[in-house]
Amino acid sequence: MRVFGSWVSVFARSVCVVVALVAAGDLQAQMTLADGTVVIGNDRGGVIRDRLIELRNLRASGRPVQISGDICYSTCTMLIGLPQTCVTADTTFGFHGPSHYGRPMSPPDFDYASRVMAHYYPEPLKTWFLKEGRNRIHGVYRMSGAQLIRMGVKSCTG
């Protein structure tokens, strides 16, 4: 009984930590509006494989996607490649090359993962990413939504 009670205590503390992180804005914010639009905000990215699943599901749903928080970094930027995605001018987008949890990948794996990411970028962003953007592993190249809109990414304002 004591082991079970300890497990419940650990679980309860974990739930409190997750709730605190969400309240502090440290986890990605995603909500669905009444019209079915998926709003992405303050998304710091994640694992490419997980993002590919999300992209597949969003593409299949056909629901509009709006990127409108303060930031959209790393794999979040892949969302702009969906035909139903728009971005707001004041969102900051952060681009960097793939890594294995911050560690360099083998050259073939790096090239493959870079091309998977770039597949979701429209031109000329795709070309820039493959020539320059993917070469930064630590930190990000920042671009505003306004810059991306000038590069052909769909604006949420029309």
Side-chain angles (χ1 to χ4, degrees):
M1 200 63 159
R2 176 169 261 183
V3 171
F4 180 74
S6 296
W7 180 84
V8 170
S9 176
V10 169
F11 177 75
R13 281 193 304 259
S14 298
V15 169
C16 290
V17 168
V18 170
V19 170
L21 287 172
V22 170
D26 289 340
L27 298 179
Q28 97 178 21
Q30 180 175 334
M31 65 180 192
T32 303
L33 301 179
D35 68 357
T37 299
V38 177
V39 179
I40 307 288
N42 302 326
D43 186 328
R44 295 188 174 275
V47 178
I48 292 174
R49 179 185 60 245
D50 296 341
R51 189 65 71 174
L52 289 171
I53 293 167
E54 180 183 18
L55 288 163
R56 183 188 67 220
N57 292 338
L58 285 169
R59 183 182 300 273
S61 78
R63 295 184 341 202
V65 176
Q66 176 181 323
I67 303 173
S68 62
D70 292 329
I71 60 165
C72 173
Y73 283 3
S74 190
T75 62
C76 173
T77 63
M78 294 168 66
L79 291 163
I80 67 175
L82 292 174
Q84 70 265 30
T85 295
C86 67
V87 303
T88 58
D90 58 346
T91 299
T92 300
F93 292 80
F95 297 88
H96 67 85
S99 68
H100 185 70
Y101 300 99
R103 294 186 312 273
M105 303 171 90
S106 71
D109 290 345
F110 176 81
D111 190 59
Y112 176 77
S114 295
R115 292 184 186 285
V116 167
M117 291 176 71
H119 172 76
Y120 290 91
Y121 301 147
E123 288 295 350
L125 183 61
K126 178 187 291 189
T127 297
W128 169 82
F129 180 77
L130 289 172
K131 286 184 180 177
E132 187 172 346
R134 72 179 179 165
N135 295 316
R136 178 173 282 175
I137 301 300
H138 301 289
V140 294
Y141 288 103
R142 288 178 181 83
M143 289 188 194
S144 68
Q147 288 173 290
L148 292 177
I149 291 165
R150 287 193 294 275
M151 295 174 84
V153 175
K154 182 178 165 187
S155 170
C156 294
T157 58

